[in-house]
Amino acid sequence: MAILKINTLSRLVSAAALSVAMSATMLPASAALAQDNSEQSDEDRRRSRQTLSSRAGTALNEALNFANEEPPQTAQAVAVVDKLLERDLPPFDRATALEVRGQLKFQLDDLNGALRDFVEVLRIDALPSDRQRQITRNVAQLYYTQERYDDAIRFMQSYIRDAGAAAEGNDYFILSASYVQKEDYRGARRPAERAIQLDQAANGRNKQFYDLMNLIYNELGLEAERGRLLETMVEYFPSEESYWVQLAGAYSTADRRADALAALEVAYKAGLIEGEDKIITLAQFYYDQNNPFRGAKLLAAEMDAGNVKRDLENLELLAQLWAAAREQDQAIAILTEAAPKRSDGRLYYQLGQSYLADENWRLAVQNLRSALSRGGLDDREVGNAYVLIGTALFQQDSDSKEARQASRREFVRAQRYRSARRTADSWVEYIDTIERTLEAQRVVERSQAIERQERLIERCQSLLDVIELGGLTDVPEDDVQACRDLVERVESGVTAEQMVDEAIAAEGEEGNG
């Protein structure tokens, strides 16, 4: 795991401030400390009264002069302290010299050397309690930078325990971050929360505290706590685009879709969500949140503005969004633009489905056939394409036997594919049922027509017999002539059945014409 960035060791004394620290070591406790002696233990009072020996004070003042030069001569200052430490020194002198050298080594970025000196100071245990505590804090911070997280935890816990209310947010941050590096997120939670409490009490806005807390809540699956934290984070750091996106995700997890979309729209309208990848991610998020219409409008507008490339992949996404929003005209327009850019037939397949949904049967068939001819569809899609073609052909002209049979042939092709077989079987059976019903109806109608024709022949023969016997009728002459023609055909051998079949054939030719 990467090391979390922490503040510079806040309590390591800079070269400019070194004189203050050293002067304090050489003054009596009454001058160096503002504490009320009545509140100190006897040991604290004893330690606070200690002063440096003349030799140690002189050497450390010389080191101070080197450190305060412009530019600082820190290496020379370290050499002076090195020489001092070669002598046999009393504990207070040695601890003070090591304390100063550790500070100087830190200025030289010799963190290992600084750490060794500070640890030795703690081992000697001769400095006043406030300086001992500060060294403990420095050691914890340095162990953290050295990735020795167990030691960092041990020393920072010791410092916080001794410092009490004086411990700062950054101290709790380092303690929490050390637990995080060990992936002990439960151990990290409380100190991270305390760091934020102290930050807020001081009206601070320490961003890394909130980033750490966000990570911990996420790893622990504390979605409600994380959601509330992210609400604070977007309030404190409104220009951080990632926080808005994470807040939207937290709202989505909590099934607060309206809030999720609102958070993203705020960020988008504020100009925080920029760049093609982020815009596309936002459009896809709208789709995931069952609001494809907004996603489509967003993506289309960004394409028109030139912020998103009008390439095949993006056009496919836009078509998908329009289709999901049931904006078929928009989806068709985008698919028509995109389909020729693909080498296979997948977009023609989608285009055919869109035309089918729009009840444009002719173009549905045309594009689905193009999809099949271009290839690239899996068996499920091929079987479904045949079903859709058959459906479109049937809907286009279900009254025509020719159209019904053309439709049936497509369903028979679909029967070869397992995924489409059940649907295709149902359609084939349906069309066959229609044909059987129509055939039975034709048989009945033909039989009825023959009976009517036979009755007509009989009436005409009776009429002509009456006229031949000299009887009078009120039948119009045209009808009488029609009867003569009809009887003449019968006498020539044409049956009523033949006459009906001729009429049916003539109707069929007229319909085909």
Side-chain angles (χ1 to χ4, degrees), residues 150-168:
D150 287 328
D151 290 326
I153 290 170
R154 178 162 55 89
F155 278 87
M156 188 56 77
Q157 284 177 332
S158 176
Y159 169 74
I160 290 172
R161 181 174 58 253
D162 292 341
E168 299 177 355

Side-chain angles (χ1 to χ4, degrees), residues 447-464:
S447 176
Q448 292 173 342
I450 291 172
E451 290 179 3
R452 288 194 300 272
Q453 189 68 21
E454 287 176 343
R455 288 195 297 272
L456 177 59
I457 292 171
E458 290 177 359
R459 287 197 301 272
C460 283
Q461 287 175 335
S462 298
L463 174 63
L464 293 178

Side-chain angles (χ1 to χ4, degrees), residues 313-359:
E313 183 177 0
N314 294 338
L315 287 171
E316 285 190 59
L317 174 60
L318 181 56
Q320 179 185 4
L321 291 168
W322 284 126
R326 299 186 180 181
E327 295 287 336
Q328 295 301 333
D329 290 344
Q330 299 279 13
I332 286 170
I334 299 301
L335 285 171
T336 300
E337 177 183 352
K341 296 182 178 183
R342 276 193 76 125
S343 59
D344 60 26
R346 302 191 68 84
L347 292 187
Y348 283 104
Y349 176 68
Q350 294 180 35
L351 190 54
Q353 293 179 83
S354 294
Y355 276 123
L356 194 74
D358 206 34
E359 297 187 5

Side-chain angles (χ1 to χ4, degrees), residues 114-132:
L115 182 58
R116 284 193 298 271
D117 283 349
F118 291 144
V119 169
E120 180 64 12
V121 170
L122 295 179
R123 189 194 67 78
I124 295 172
D125 191 19
L127 298 181
S129 59
D130 58 338
R131 288 166 62 188
Q132 288 285 128

Side-chain angles (χ1 to χ4, degrees), residues 5-134:
K5 180 181 178 182
I6 63 173
N7 291 336
T8 302
L9 302 184
S10 58
R11 295 299 181 185
L12 290 180
V13 184
S14 67
L18 189 56
S19 60
V20 176
M22 291 178 62
S23 297
T25 66
M26 293 182 284
L27 291 174
S30 59
L33 300 172
Q35 286 180 265
D36 185 344
N37 285 344
S38 65
E39 298 177 359
Q40 294 180 303
S41 67
D42 291 342
E43 176 63 17
D44 281 342
R45 286 195 294 272
R46 184 194 67 77
R47 291 188 181 209
S48 298
R49 293 192 185 100
Q50 297 179 101
T51 59
L52 290 171
S53 66
S54 175
R55 177 180 292 167
T58 300
L60 292 178
N61 270 320
E62 182 183 357
L64 171 63
N65 290 333
F66 279 121
N68 282 337
E69 288 186 13
E70 288 296 335
Q73 303 299 310
T74 310
Q76 289 88 332
V78 170
V80 171
V81 181
D82 286 344
K83 188 173 182 181
L84 174 63
L85 286 168
E86 291 174 358
R87 297 179 176 273
D88 184 17
L89 301 174
F92 181 70
D93 286 6
R94 180 167 293 279
T96 301
L98 287 167
E99 178 188 24
V100 170
R101 190 173 71 174
Q103 294 163 351
L104 293 168
K105 286 184 175 180
F106 177 77
Q107 298 298 324
L108 292 171
D109 289 330
D110 180 6
L111 302 187
N112 287 327
L115 182 58
R116 284 193 298 271
D117 283 349
F118 291 144
V119 169
E120 180 64 12
V121 170
L122 295 179
R123 189 194 67 78
I124 295 172
D125 191 19
L127 298 181
S129 59
D130 58 338
R131 288 166 62 188
Q132 288 285 128
R133 281 197 301 272
Q134 186 54 57

Side-chain angles (χ1 to χ4, degrees), residues 142-423:
L142 284 167
Y143 273 136
Y144 182 83
T145 65
Q146 301 298 89
E147 301 183 36
R148 293 175 60 176
Y149 303 117
D150 287 328
D151 290 326
I153 290 170
R154 178 162 55 89
F155 278 87
M156 188 56 77
Q157 284 177 332
S158 176
Y159 169 74
I160 290 172
R161 181 174 58 253
D162 292 341
E168 299 177 355
N170 198 60
D171 302 321
Y172 286 97
F173 171 78
I174 292 174
L175 177 58
S176 176
S178 298
Y179 278 115
V180 166
Q181 297 298 338
K182 290 163 53 64
E183 300 186 7
D184 180 359
Y185 300 104
R186 295 188 182 281
R189 178 183 176 182
R190 297 307 177 193
E193 290 175 338
R194 181 59 178 159
I196 287 179
Q197 288 172 358
L198 291 172
D199 182 68
Q200 292 176 338
N203 294 318
R205 294 286 192 275
N206 197 320
K207 184 171 174 290
Q208 61 182 351
F209 290 6
Y210 291 86
D211 286 335
L212 180 66
M213 191 78 262
N214 184 28
L215 170 65
I216 293 166
Y217 281 152
N218 184 60
E219 291 292 339
L220 292 175
L222 299 174
E223 296 299 336
E225 291 84 349
R226 182 169 181 249
R228 289 191 293 270
L229 176 72
L230 286 165
E231 288 174 340
T232 301
M233 290 170 72
V234 298
E235 178 186 350
Y236 287 178
F237 315 105
S239 62
E240 285 291 334
E241 173 262 339
S242 67
Y243 295 166
W244 290 98
V245 173
Q246 290 179 67
L247 178 59
Y251 282 147
S252 177
T253 300
D255 201 26
R256 296 170 59 183
R257 292 180 176 176
D259 290 332
L261 293 176
L264 286 178
E265 287 187 345
V266 168
Y268 176 68
K269 290 177 181 177
L272 299 178
I273 298 180
E274 297 179 332
E276 180 171 309
D277 291 344
K278 292 179 180 178
I279 291 169
I280 289 173
T281 298
L282 176 56
Q284 290 171 328
F285 185 83
Y286 278 120
Y287 178 82
D288 293 338
Q289 298 304 310
N290 295 327
N291 199 332
F293 182 77
R294 286 191 184 182
K297 285 190 67 177
L298 166 75
L299 188 55
E302 293 292 343
M303 280 187 177
D304 292 342
N307 298 325
V308 174
K309 295 190 295 293
R310 211 173 181 86
D311 59 17
L312 176 60
E313 183 177 0
N314 294 338
L315 287 171
E316 285 190 59
L317 174 60
L318 181 56
Q320 179 185 4
L321 291 168
W322 284 126
R326 299 186 180 181
E327 295 287 336
Q328 295 301 333
D329 290 344
Q330 299 279 13
I332 286 170
I334 299 301
L335 285 171
T336 300
E337 177 183 352
K341 296 182 178 183
R342 276 193 76 125
S343 59
D344 60 26
R346 302 191 68 84
L347 292 187
Y348 283 104
Y349 176 68
Q350 294 180 35
L351 190 54
Q353 293 179 83
S354 294
Y355 276 123
L356 194 74
D358 206 34
E359 297 187 5
N360 190 326
W361 315 120
R362 182 183 64 81
L363 289 177
V365 170
Q366 177 182 313
N367 282 278
L368 288 167
R369 290 199 190 284
S370 294
L372 291 170
S373 64
R374 280 185 171 239
L377 308 183
D378 59 32
D379 283 354
R380 183 190 63 79
E381 292 166 329
V382 171
N384 192 47
Y386 282 125
V387 167
L388 296 177
I389 292 172
T391 302
L393 290 172
F394 183 87
Q395 298 293 347
Q396 190 173 8
D397 188 11
S398 59
D399 291 336
S400 164
K401 181 176 182 178
E402 180 179 358
R404 290 194 300 272
Q405 291 305 305
S407 171
R408 187 182 187 278
R409 286 192 291 273
E410 301 300 329
F411 291 127
V412 169
R413 292 188 179 99
Q415 287 175 322
R416 299 197 298 264
Y417 300 89
R418 185 174 61 181
S419 61
R421 188 169 299 140
R422 179 176 297 179
T423 301

